[in-house]
Amino acid sequence: MASFLRGKQSGMSNDLSANILPELFAPDDRFRYGINSQISCIAYEPVQSLIAIGTRESKFGTGRIEVYGQSRVHKFLVPPRPCSFADLQFCANRLVSLDTKNEILIWNLDTGARVNGFHASGVVTCMLTDPMLDWCFIGTANGEVVAYDLDRERLSPLKLPNFWLERDPKARAVGLVSMQLHPRDIGKLMIAYTNGVAFYSFKQNRATQFFEYQVPPGAPGGSGIAVDSLRKPKVTHAVWHPTGTFIATAHDDGSLVIWDARDGRVVMARTLYEMNIDKPVPNAATSSPKHPYLRIAWCCKENPEDSALLIAGGQSLDNPANGLTFIELGVTPNYQTSSWQVLADYCKGRKTGVLETPPGAEVMNFFLIPRFSPHFNGAQDPIAVITLLSSGELLTMSFPSGYPISPTNQLHPSLSFVHPFAVKFAVATLERGRWLGMVETRNQGDAILKGGKEAPLPHRRFAGRSIIQVAHADGTIRIWDVGHGDEIENPTQLQVDVARSLNRYDDINVTTMSMASNTGEFAVGTKGGEVIIYRWEGNRFFGRSQEQHLDPNPGGLTDISTRTEPSLKQGLQPSHLYEMMQGPISVVKVADVGFIGVGSENGFFSIIDMRGPSVILQVSMVDFAKQDKRSSFLRGNANSSGAKEWPVIVQFGVMTLEGDKYSSICCFVGTSQGKVITFTLLPSGNGYTAKVAGVTQMNDKVIAICPIVADTGKPAYATGHAVAGLREGKQVNGLLVAVTQSEARIFKPASAKGASKSFDDYLCDAAAVTEFDLHGMALVGVFGDRITRAFSLPGLKEIGSAPLKMMDGSRATDSIVDEDGNLFCWTGPSEIAVLNVWGAGQEIENTADILINPELRIPPRPTISNVQWLSGTQYITPTDLDLLIGGPDRPPSKRMIAATAAEKRAAASGQLSPGYPRTQEAEGWGDYLTRSLNERTQKLNLMGDSMDSAAEASQRWAEDASKWAGQQKRKMILGGLTSKFL
C-alpha cells in the first residue's frame, strides 16, 4: 500500500523495481586501485620489466605485495598471516620476500601463489639473492649466515659463523649489517658486520680478508666528536665497486670509506663533501655531525668501469635530509699501472650533485631502474630512480639528471595514488566512442614497465565507460578508465596540470571535478575560488613555452590557452579560467550542452555558457531564504535564513516542469540546508538566460539529485539529443529523485511535494538511481553505518542491503555511486575499492594476467677478467657454487631440468632455441651441463673432499698451477736457446 501511495504522490505510475529481487542485490568486490598501506620496500626486475611493492600492516589491512607490469598488468600476493614486509627480491621467475616476523616466503610469479616459506632461527637483518643462483642467503642479527635452496625448497648444510667474533673473540655486540656477492666472482661473499667487513671464499670455506676502519687521534672523522681519541665507527653499509676493484663502507659517524679490495688499505676516507678525514689535522673538531646513511648504491653505466655513487643520507644535521647525493667518479683507473695518488683522486670524484626531492619529506630509501641488466647489484645503466619519502609517497626521477618523471602512462594507475598522494576522486560515465578517441599525444621517454601480458576479458562494446578523475596533492589530475571487469580498449591515462593552468605552484587544492559524458569537457574547482575549464583539442603552442602571466579578472572569464604544457601535443588543454573568488569552490558540473554550473562555499552560484563563453547567471543562496522561518522540533533540524548555506550538488536535465506545457533545459541545485532550486535555461537572442522556476525544501544537506523519465526511470540528463528534441516540440515527462542525509524524495520539479522516505537510524553519504540490466531501476545509497542499501522506485521500499567491510568509515562521505551500479569508496588513505552492487556477492579475485615471459633470458653474469685469472683468482661458475653449497649429492636443479627438456624438444623439431648455447653439433644442453658438471667436479676435486678439506684442495690446485706455469716458462726459455743454436 505504501508503494502504491508513493507512486501516486510522485506521479510515477510504473513500478520500476518490480523485477529486482532482494537476493539480486549482492555487491561484487571487483577491483582495488591504489596502495592499501604504507610502502615499505620495492623491487624491480629489469629483464621481465616488472615492479613489486611491499607494504606494512596497518589498521587498513595486512601487509601485501603488489606486482605490476605494463599498462594494467597486475597481481597481488597476500601472505598467509598478517605481517609487514621488510624486503623483496626477484630471482628468476620467483619473488622472495622477507617480513618483519623473520619469515621468508617464496612466490611463483607465473601463478601468483606462495610456493613455500620458512621461519629463520633468529632475527633476520638482511637477505641476498642473485638472478643466476638458486640460493637465498639469510644473515641474522648474531652474525650467522645460512643458505636456503630455492630450487629444492629446503635449508642447505652451509652455515657460516660470525667470522668477526672468530677474529676478535673479545668484541661485543657484533651484528650482521649487509651482504653482497662479488659483482664478477660469485665465489666471494662480502659480509658487513657492525665492527668491520669480511670477505668469505666459498672455494676455501673461510674468511680471507678483514677490513676495520679506525680514526686516529687528531683526525676529524665524519662527525668531529672525540677527536683526541682513537675511534672505531660502526659500519652501516658496504657495497662493491662494479668491477670489484674497491669496496665502500659507510659508518655511523658520517664517514664514507673506500678501500682497496685486494690488499685492504684505505684509499680514501671522506664524507659527502670532505676528504681525508682519517688524517690528523689542526682544528679537527670543525667537522659537524651528519644524518645517518640510509642507502648507498655503487652504480655504473653500460661500461662497468664508468661508475658513480648514489647516496641517501649523510648530510650535515644543519641541513634537511632531502635529495639524493650523486658523486660521479668517472672511468676507473687501471689498477695495475696507476699510482696510489691516482686512485685516491679517483675516489674524490669528478663532481658532486644533488637529485632534488620535495621539501618537508625526507628520503627513506631509493630503488634504481636498470635499463636491462639485473647484475651489478641492480645498478648497471639505470634510467630512473624511484625514491620512497618519509611521508609514504613515491617520487620517480630520471637518472642521473634528477628530473621528475610523471607516472602517467609510465606506471600502473595504482602506483599513481602515492605519486604523490591522491586527495579526491570523481567519476563520470563517458560514451565509449568519445573515450576511445581521447588518447593524448605527449612527448615522453621510454616506458619504465614493459613486462607482463593482460589476460583476455569479455567485451562490452555498447556500454558507457566509467572514467575516474583522481586529483593529487601536487595539483595533478589523472583520468582513466576503471573498467567493468571487461576489456579496457583504451587503457591510457590523461593528465591535467592544474598548477600550470593557474601559473601558481603553491597552495593548489582541488575541491571538485566534473567531466561531460559526450563532449569530454572537463572543469576543476579549487580551494582558492578558481574554476579551470579544459577542452579536448590540439596544442597551438606545442614545443614552445608562452608568457604565463595574465592580469587578474575577478568574477570574469579569462582565456588561458597559452598555459598549455609544451610537451602535450593533443589532449585536455586549458581553455578558460573563471575567477569566482567567493570562497572555495564547493561544486562544479559540466553539461553536455555547453553549460557549467559552479557553486562556492560563500553561498554563490553561477552558470557559464561556453558558447561565449560568458557568465549568464550569478546568484546568492541568501536570495532563496524563506520568509517564514520554520523548524522541525521532532527532527532536531532548523532551517534558518541566518544559517550559512551553499550549493553542494548541481545537475542539468531536460523535462517538463510542474505547470508547464513544454519541456525545457533545467538546472537543479541542491544546497547544504536542504533546498533544491530549479532554474530554467531559455534561448535569448544569440545566447541563453537563466531564471528561477521554484524551490523545494528538504530536511538537510542534499546528497544526490537524479533527473529521471517518469515512465522508464532512465536518466533525463541534458544531452544533445534531448535538447535537439525541444526544437521539435517533444516533451519529457520527468521527475526528480533527490536524496539528503536523512530523506529520499521523488517529486515533480520545481516545487511539488511528491513522495518521501526518511532514514531514521542512519545517514546517507552517497546515492544514485541505478539501472540493473533487464531487471529495472532502483535507488542505491551508501550509509554511515558502512552498509549499502537499495530502494525500490517509486515505493522507496528497501530491497536489500550489504555490508561494506572494506570501506574506510571516516571517508564514507567521499563515496560515489554511478548510474550503472558501480560503487566507489576509499578503503584507506591511498586506495579505493570498486564494486558492482548488481552482482553475486563475490570477493575480490586475483587477476589471470601473465607476468613472466619465458622467452626472455637473463643475460650471463659478468665474470672475472683475464688479468684476474692470471693473478690467481679462481673462476667459480653457478654450477660450482651449487656443489660447494649443496654438496655433490644435490640433484640437478629444476632450472637445469627444464633447460634439458626444452633442448630435447628443440632437437626433435630440428631447431635449437636461440637462448641456449650450442657446444657441439650432437651435444644437447643437458649433455653439455652434465659434462661440464663432471669436469668441474673433477677439477675442483670435491667428490672425495668434504667442506672441511676445501682449503687443502685449493692449495693443491695452486701448486699444480704453479708447476704448470714453471714448465711453460722453462719450455719458452729452452725453445729460445734451441732456436739460437739451429
Side-chain angles (χ1 to χ4, degrees):
M1 181 59 70
S3 299
F4 174 78
L5 291 176
R6 285 188 175 122
K8 288 293 185 182
Q9 292 170 348
S10 63
M12 186 182 294
S13 58
N14 299 330
D15 186 352
L16 304 180
S17 309
N19 295 326
I20 302 179
L21 302 178
E23 57 268 23
L24 297 177
F25 187 74
D28 284 342
D29 194 352
R30 285 189 168 175
F31 310 110
R32 293 284 193 278
Y33 286 105
I35 305 297
N36 72 320
S37 187
Q38 189 173 24
I39 295 175
S40 57
C41 50
I42 298 176
Y44 178 73
E45 213 293 315
V47 176
Q48 297 292 339
S49 192
L50 301 171
I51 193 169
I53 306 289
T55 63
R56 293 188 176 93
E57 183 182 7
S58 69
K59 66 178 181 179
F60 302 105
T62 181
R64 206 165 63 185
I65 300 173
E66 312 279 354
V67 184
Y68 301 106
Q70 64 176 332
S71 188
R72 302 295 178 86
V73 175
H74 170 229
K75 274 189 184 296
F76 60 87
L77 314 176
V78 181
R81 59 187 62 85
C83 66
S84 298
F85 288 98
D87 193 13
L88 298 175
Q89 296 183 22
F90 285 97
C91 188
N93 65 337
R94 312 179 192 91
L95 181 68
V96 185
S97 66
L98 167 67
D99 64 34
T100 53
K101 297 180 180 178
N102 305 306
E103 185 174 14
I104 310 291
L105 297 176
I106 296 95
W107 306 86
N108 188 323
L109 294 177
D110 292 318
T111 62
R114 183 175 67 96
V115 176
N116 206 341
F118 72 98
H119 275 280
S121 57
V123 178
V124 178
T125 57
C126 67
M127 178 178 69
L128 174 64
T129 61
D130 188 275
M132 297 301 293
L133 303 178
D134 292 319
W135 301 98
C136 175
F137 301 98
I138 299 114
T140 58
N142 62 3
E144 295 181 348
V145 179
V146 296
Y148 183 80
D149 192 336
L150 298 175
D151 182 73
R152 296 297 157 183
E153 299 169 9
R154 62 189 181 190
L155 281 172
S156 76
L158 177 71
K159 184 175 182 180
L160 306 182
N162 188 322
F163 292 114
W164 200 269
L165 283 179
E166 290 186 351
R167 175 180 180 266
D168 183 9
K170 296 182 180 180
R172 294 290 179 267
V174 180
L176 193 146
V177 175
S178 67
M179 297 182 293
Q180 268 194 20
L181 288 168
H182 192 290
R184 292 181 176 274
D185 180 11
I186 56 174
K188 182 180 290 187
L189 174 67
M190 178 172 64
I191 306 174
Y193 302 98
T194 53
N195 291 34
V197 173
F199 286 173
Y200 170 75
S201 170
F202 287 100
K203 177 63 173 64
Q204 300 180 35
N205 190 28
R206 67 183 182 90
T208 57
Q209 280 181 275
F210 292 91
F211 302 79
E212 183 178 20
Y213 175 55
Q214 297 183 1
V215 183
S223 62
I225 298 175
V227 295
D228 295 330
S229 61
L230 176 67
R231 288 146 287 161
K232 298 181 180 180
K234 301 295 183 182
V235 177
T236 59
H237 299 79
V239 292
W240 282 103
H241 182 276
T243 63
T245 307
F246 308 102
I247 65 168
T249 58
H251 300 262
D252 60 0
D253 71 335
S255 297
L256 181 64
V257 185
I258 301 178
W259 306 75
D260 184 335
R262 176 173 297 183
D263 60 16
R265 290 187 294 171
V266 174
V267 181
M268 174 61 65
R270 56 174 296 171
T271 62
L272 295 184
Y273 298 99
E274 301 163 335
M275 307 297 164
N276 297 313
I277 59 173
D278 60 338
K279 308 297 183 186
V281 294
N283 301 321
T286 55
S287 182
S288 61
K290 309 293 191 300
H291 287 285
Y293 289 103
L294 301 172
R295 175 79 188 276
I296 297 178
W298 205 323
C299 41
C300 61
K301 297 182 180 180
E302 187 175 359
N303 174 17
E305 300 283 352
D306 195 349
S307 68
L309 286 166
L310 186 63
I311 302 169
Q315 302 95 334
S316 172
L317 288 179
D318 299 332
N319 300 319
N322 292 337
L324 302 176
T325 304
F326 179 72
I327 303 175
E328 183 180 349
L329 300 174
V331 178
T332 308
N334 188 309
Y335 183 84
Q336 307 295 333
T337 60
S338 299
S339 65
W340 194 256
Q341 186 60 46
V342 170
L343 298 179
D345 292 341
Y346 164 77
C347 296
K348 291 180 180 179
R350 295 197 300 189
K351 62 180 180 180
T352 300
V354 176
L355 280 64
E356 297 287 349
T357 57
E362 298 182 358
V363 175
M364 302 303 295
N365 208 339
F366 66 82
F367 309 89
L368 291 167
I369 308 297
R371 192 179 303 275
F372 181 73
S373 172
H375 303 303
F376 298 103
N377 199 35
Q380 184 182 23
D381 197 17
I383 59 173
V385 57
I386 297 178
T387 58
L388 176 60
L389 305 179
S390 57
S391 61
E393 296 169 293
L394 299 179
L395 174 65
T396 305
M397 297 182 288
S398 60
F399 186 87
S401 58
Y403 293 119
I405 297 176
S406 170
T408 305
N409 295 321
Q410 287 281 359
L411 302 175
H412 191 279
S414 288
L415 288 176
S416 68
F417 273 71
V418 291
H419 202 298
F421 282 136
V423 294
K424 193 173 187 63
F425 71 91
V427 179
T429 301
L430 261 67
E431 290 188 351
R432 172 178 172 268
R434 170 74 268 185
W435 176 247
L436 290 181
M438 296 179 72
V439 179
E440 71 176 23
T441 305
R442 182 187 296 270
N443 285 345
Q444 202 167 27
D446 294 338
I448 294 177
L449 299 180
K450 305 175 184 178
K453 180 182 179 182
E454 293 182 67
L457 294 170
H459 298 278
R460 289 182 60 186
R461 297 191 181 279
F462 303 102
R465 307 306 303 176
S466 294
I467 307 303
I468 190 170
Q469 308 113 53
V470 183
H472 298 264
D474 63 348
T476 301
I477 298 175
R478 297 185 176 94
I479 304 169
W480 35 278
D481 186 352
V482 298
H484 302 108
D486 59 349
E487 180 186 4
I488 300 177
E489 298 171 285
N490 176 13
T492 61
Q493 303 172 58
L494 309 180
Q495 177 176 302
V496 167
D497 189 348
V498 176
R500 183 176 180 86
S501 300
L502 293 175
N503 194 30
R504 186 179 77 242
Y505 295 91
D506 296 324
D507 193 27
I508 305 295
N509 295 300
V510 174
T511 56
T512 181
M513 298 168 285
S514 176
M515 176 172 275
S517 60
N518 292 326
T519 63
E521 290 181 323
F522 184 52
V524 180
T526 71
K527 189 176 181 179
E530 305 107 336
V531 175
I532 308 101
I533 302 167
Y534 297 87
R535 283 176 165 169
W536 184 266
E537 55 190 2
N539 184 359
R540 294 179 293 133
F541 308 105
F542 175 67
R544 309 191 309 271
S545 293
Q546 300 296 311
E547 173 61 37
Q548 300 294 301
H549 176 74
L550 297 171
D551 294 331
N553 185 18
L557 288 161
T558 304
D559 186 344
I560 57 170
S561 58
T562 58
R563 292 179 177 174
T564 56
E565 300 179 60
S567 61
L568 182 61
K569 185 176 183 179
Q570 181 85 14
L572 283 172
Q573 311 284 1
S575 174
H576 287 82
L577 172 65
Y578 175 44
E579 299 175 75
M580 192 174 192
M581 312 310 286
Q582 294 292 342
I585 303 299
S586 57
V587 61
V588 63
K589 178 64 180 179
V590 183
D592 280 317
V593 291
F595 298 104
I596 299 177
V598 181
S600 71
E601 290 189 10
N602 281 359
F604 287 83
F605 176 70
S606 299
I607 296 179
I608 301 171
D609 184 355
M610 291 303 296
R611 276 164 284 270
S614 62
V615 179
I616 62 173
L617 175 73
Q618 185 171 25
V619 296
S620 171
M621 296 297 103
V622 176
D623 299 337
F624 301 99
K626 288 188 176 181
Q627 299 300 321
D628 51 334
K629 305 174 182 177
R630 295 177 299 175
S631 64
S632 173
F633 174 76
L634 294 176
R635 295 189 182 278
N637 180 34
N639 292 319
S640 171
S641 60
K644 185 178 180 181
E645 188 172 16
W646 63 89
V648 291
I649 294 292
V650 177
Q651 189 59 266
F652 290 89
V654 171
M655 64 178 64
T656 303
L657 298 181
E658 182 186 24
D660 288 347
K661 296 182 180 180
Y662 57 89
S663 295
S664 56
I665 304 173
C666 304
C667 177
F668 307 103
V669 180
T671 73
S672 59
Q673 295 296 324
K675 291 186 180 67
V676 177
I677 307 169
T678 302
F679 297 90
T680 56
L681 304 177
L682 303 174
S684 175
N686 295 328
Y688 282 79
T689 59
K691 67 176 184 178
V692 179
V695 180
T696 298
Q697 181 66 53
M698 300 180 70
N699 290 336
D700 43 29
K701 180 181 177 181
V702 179
I703 298 300
I705 297 176
C706 305
I708 62 173
V709 178
D711 296 333
T712 63
K714 298 282 187 179
Y717 296 143
T719 62
H721 177 74
V723 171
L726 297 178
R727 300 174 184 173
E728 302 172 4
K730 293 182 179 179
Q731 293 195 33
V732 178
N733 179 22
L735 298 172
L736 275 191
V737 180
V739 183
T740 71
Q741 291 178 316
S742 60
E743 178 188 9
R745 184 178 295 187
I746 307 173
F747 65 96
K748 185 81 171 177
S751 57
K753 182 175 178 58
S756 65
K757 174 185 176 62
S758 298
F759 309 129
D760 296 324
D761 301 324
Y762 34 76
L763 295 178
C764 184
D765 294 317
V769 174
T770 67
E771 181 177 4
F772 185 10
D773 289 341
L774 305 178
H775 288 78
M777 313 292 289
L779 176 65
V780 176
V782 176
F783 294 84
D785 55 356
R786 295 172 61 192
I787 292 178
T788 177
R789 296 176 172 88
F791 301 90
S792 64
L793 295 175
L796 296 177
K797 179 182 178 180
E798 184 173 322
I799 298 173
S801 63
L804 300 173
K805 298 179 181 179
M806 77 295 294
M807 185 172 74
D808 180 3
S810 65
R811 305 179 74 176
T813 55
D814 294 330
S815 303
I816 294 175
V817 181
D818 72 7
E819 60 199 49
D820 292 325
N822 296 313
L823 191 157
F824 304 80
C825 64
W826 290 100
T827 65
S830 55
E831 184 186 52
I832 62 171
V834 182
L835 302 90
N836 187 275
V837 298
W838 309 117
Q842 297 179 351
E843 297 294 329
I844 190 168
E845 297 180 351
N846 215 337
T847 69
D849 294 343
I850 299 172
L851 297 179
I852 300 298
N853 180 2
E855 300 298 323
L856 297 175
R857 303 294 178 190
I858 301 175
R861 197 180 196 278
T863 61
I864 60 175
S865 64
N866 292 335
V867 175
Q868 290 174 307
W869 183 81
L870 289 173
S871 64
T873 303
Q874 300 177 31
Y875 172 52
I876 303 295
T877 67
T879 306
D880 298 336
L881 201 63
D882 289 345
L883 290 171
L884 291 166
I885 298 176
D889 296 330
R890 180 180 183 267
S893 67
K894 296 175 186 176
R895 194 187 304 194
M896 183 185 296
I897 294 172
T900 303
E903 180 69 18
K904 289 181 178 179
R905 288 193 299 269
S909 63
Q911 294 181 348
L912 285 176
S913 175
Y916 296 112
R918 188 165 186 152
T919 57
Q920 294 180 6
E921 188 66 29
E923 186 178 34
W925 175 252
D927 296 334
Y928 165 73
L929 284 181
T930 303
R931 177 177 60 80
S932 300
L933 177 63
N934 292 334
E935 290 178 357
R936 296 298 295 176
T937 301
Q938 293 173 3
K939 292 179 181 178
L940 291 168
N941 198 20
L942 289 175
M943 293 300 292
D945 291 343
S946 65
M947 294 291 283
D948 295 333
S949 62
E952 181 182 350
S954 176
Q955 182 63 31
R956 289 199 302 270
W957 185 92
E959 292 174 356
D960 291 342
S962 298
K963 291 180 181 178
W964 179 83
Q967 290 174 359
Q968 296 302 313
K969 292 178 181 179
R970 189 178 302 108
K971 289 179 180 180
M972 181 182 66
I973 295 172
L974 291 176
L977 292 174
T978 303
S979 63
K980 289 183 178 297
F981 287 100
L982 291 180

